[in-house]
Amino acid sequence: MNIADDVWFEVCLRLPLTEIFKCKCVSKVWLSILSDPYFINKWYKLNSSLWTLILGLAKQNPTAPLNSELPLFHPELNSQFISHHQSVSGFSLRFLNQKHELSNTKLYVVGSSNGLVLCTNAFYRQNNYYVCNPLSKKWVSLPPPPTEATIVHTGFTCESSLISTSFKVIRVDEGATLKIDIFSSDLGKWNVYNVLHPGGALHGCSVYDHYVTHNGVFYWMKKGFNQILAFSVNRNHNHQTCGNECRLISLPDQEMDNDRRYFRQSTERNKRFFGQCLGESEGLICYAIVKHKERSLSVWVLEENWSLLHKDIKFYDILAEIASSLIGVESTVDLITDIQVIGFNPVDKNVVIISYKTHILAYNIRNGGYEQLSHPSILDSNLPGSYVGILTFALKPRPTILPAVSW
């Protein structure tokens, strides 16, 4: 049976990505049509809400790195368009293990942007970085950064069109001054910037901190100090100093202990910082906090200033349902103390991603509904050793072409 080209074109626009990749192998004609920028642009406009979630960890034990087969989750509505995380042809980092250079290397995901993922081979002392596309299974390695540091704040941003791609990797070593290394794929090298702390900023960093790169600005949330520092990545013209390019942003909730240096506090008191999360959704910087005593959730968005989106949303009903259906317990007292906000739905700022032990859930604040994004056995198998918090990175599937990097 012959199908008109325009009908076949419309059918392909509604196929999952994995099926499109299979169809490319049918013939040179199909390969040409499905690789055409016009088709790709139409497909992503039609499926602009697709996303999957990459989980990474902030770990206490640097000698117990993660396996590169990281868990990847997505809403059920996306399942027919994005391969399941257990599928060999789906979004996975297994293909990196097949490369000779990385055959015996365990990897951490430390950033994602525009379909690309930034990986490193060590949580502490990050010296080797790899940028890859889990969809096309292509990757490049970067030259070693010029600055050595035990703990760095790492950011990643990618700008891509149908004809070109460029990305930047940002590393911040926070000492008396901020030493910021930026790798540009356009330049093919690292540049170093020495930046003064903005007035009022407190010094210190830890594995609890959160990082977001959005619209050319790198944000890192210093949870223990209730502060955010923001560095403009795209406005660096002086190779020695960036002047006031780094600014201080206070978090909207200021209920903190007198001693803000949380790294001096006990582990039990540190649990409060699990409830805080900085992320991005619908093109906005978002901040959420779970108040454990009140069993409530609040969310703000950052534009010129902080704007309250949801105030003190009570968890009673959702906790009871989670406890009975997922956890198998009746009391919600222990449940709320272990709830973490770990991210945001990238296309709906009213949906936050929360975790409880080995459960990952998408919770809709507006209607109180939730969706389980993981099976406990899957997540549990990817959590070897001890850890202090979960980091998430939203990945929108795109066949972004990696620019060549030589060094």
Side-chain angles (χ1 to χ4, degrees):
M1 180 177 66
N2 294 325
I3 302 177
D5 289 345
D6 57 343
V7 175
W8 180 78
F9 186 90
E10 291 297 322
V11 170
C12 289
L13 286 176
R14 289 157 178 81
L15 288 177
L17 286 171
T18 48
E19 297 304 316
I20 290 175
F21 272 72
K22 291 178 182 178
C23 290
K24 286 184 176 182
C25 301
V26 172
S27 68
K28 291 183 178 179
V29 174
W30 284 31
L31 173 63
S32 175
I33 294 174
L34 296 177
S35 301
D36 187 271
Y38 177 72
F39 173 81
I40 295 173
N41 189 45
K42 287 270 291 186
W43 193 95
Y44 283 106
K45 284 184 177 180
L46 188 64
N47 302 283
S48 60
S49 62
L50 294 183
W51 62 277
T52 189
L53 191 70
I54 307 175
L55 265 63
L57 294 179
K59 297 169 68 65
Q60 290 176 320
N61 182 4
T63 64
L66 290 175
N67 191 284
S68 60
E69 296 182 10
L70 297 176
L72 302 161
F73 310 119
H74 49 261
E76 187 63 30
L77 290 176
N78 289 356
S79 61
Q80 62 176 319
F81 290 98
I82 300 178
S83 295
H84 193 270
H85 55 269
Q86 289 180 309
S87 171
V88 175
S89 61
F91 298 110
S92 170
L93 299 181
R94 296 189 188 100
F95 66 94
L96 289 173
N97 289 115
Q98 300 171 5
K99 307 297 181 180
H100 177 70
E101 179 183 341
L102 302 175
S103 58
N104 295 314
T105 301
K106 302 289 179 90
L107 297 171
Y108 296 87
V109 173
V110 290
S112 176
S113 178
N114 219 344
L116 299 185
V117 175
L118 175 67
C119 306
T120 183
N121 66 339
F123 183 76
Y124 296 99
R125 300 189 181 279
Q126 299 175 11
N127 292 313
N128 298 293
Y129 291 98
Y130 310 92
V131 178
C132 65
N133 187 328
L135 181 62
S136 64
K137 296 179 172 54
K138 304 294 184 181
W139 67 283
V140 295
S141 62
L142 307 188
T147 303
E148 291 189 5
T150 301
I151 299 178
V152 293
H153 313 296
T154 308
F156 180 60
T157 181
C158 169
E159 296 180 2
S160 179
S161 67
L162 294 176
I163 58 175
S164 66
T165 300
S166 63
F167 64 79
K168 291 182 179 179
V169 177
I170 307 99
R171 285 170 37 103
V172 180
D173 177 18
E174 189 170 355
T177 61
L178 300 173
K179 182 166 286 188
I180 302 178
D181 302 336
I182 298 180
F183 179 86
S184 168
S185 62
D186 290 338
L187 300 176
K189 66 177 183 178
W190 294 89
N191 282 326
V192 181
Y193 306 90
N194 294 307
V195 183
L196 297 176
H197 282 273
L202 299 175
H203 301 187
C205 62
S206 91
V207 293
Y208 292 93
D209 296 343
H210 279 183
Y211 319 115
V212 180
T213 310
H214 179 61
N215 282 345
V217 178
F218 177 48
Y219 302 85
W220 67 97
M221 178 172 67
K222 301 149 72 73
K223 287 190 176 183
F225 303 141
N226 223 33
Q227 295 178 337
I228 297 174
L229 294 185
F231 176 75
S232 179
V233 178
N234 296 330
R235 293 166 56 194
N236 305 319
H237 303 294
N238 188 322
H239 291 268
Q240 299 300 319
T241 179
C242 298
N244 61 355
E245 293 291 338
C246 188
R247 64 189 180 100
L248 174 66
I249 303 173
S250 295
L251 291 178
D253 58 311
Q254 296 295 324
E255 299 176 3
M256 297 291 291
D257 296 331
N258 291 330
D259 183 2
R260 293 185 175 183
R261 299 180 182 276
Y262 69 86
F263 44 81
R264 292 181 179 177
Q265 300 172 354
S266 67
T267 301
E268 288 300 314
R269 295 180 71 189
N270 278 344
K271 283 186 177 180
R272 67 181 297 174
F273 299 106
F274 287 171
Q276 295 175 294
C277 180
L278 186 72
E280 183 270 331
S281 179
E282 296 186 44
L284 296 170
I285 297 297
C286 301
Y287 169 73
I289 184 169
V290 172
K291 297 179 181 178
H292 293 142
K293 289 184 178 180
E294 294 84 355
R295 301 188 185 185
S296 66
L297 168 69
S298 297
V299 177
W300 289 262
V301 294
L302 180 64
E303 295 177 283
E304 291 297 324
N305 296 297
W306 289 108
S307 175
L308 184 61
L309 184 64
H310 299 287
K311 181 180 180 181
D312 296 333
I313 303 300
K314 298 301 181 183
F315 260 111
Y316 295 116
D317 294 338
I318 185 68
L319 289 178
E321 186 173 347
I322 293 174
S324 61
S325 64
L326 299 182
I327 315 302
V329 298
E330 297 180 357
S331 173
T332 61
V333 175
D334 293 333
L335 177 62
I336 187 62
T337 60
D338 289 320
I339 284 285
Q340 296 186 48
V341 181
I342 60 174
F344 295 84
N345 181 321
V347 296
D348 188 348
K349 59 181 178 294
N350 297 300
V351 178
V352 296
I353 311 301
I354 61 176
S355 73
Y356 173 76
K357 294 185 177 178
T358 57
H359 295 268
I360 304 296
L361 308 162
Y363 172 57
N364 190 314
I365 301 173
R366 285 203 180 278
N367 60 29
Y370 73 92
E371 178 182 351
Q372 187 175 13
L373 299 183
S374 72
H375 188 280
S377 61
I378 295 172
L379 184 58
D380 187 54
S381 65
N382 286 275
L383 300 182
S386 59
Y387 67 99
V388 297
I390 301 177
L391 305 176
T392 63
F393 304 95
L395 173 65
K396 293 186 178 182
R398 292 185 61 88
T400 305
I401 301 173
L402 281 167
V405 175
S406 58
W407 56 278

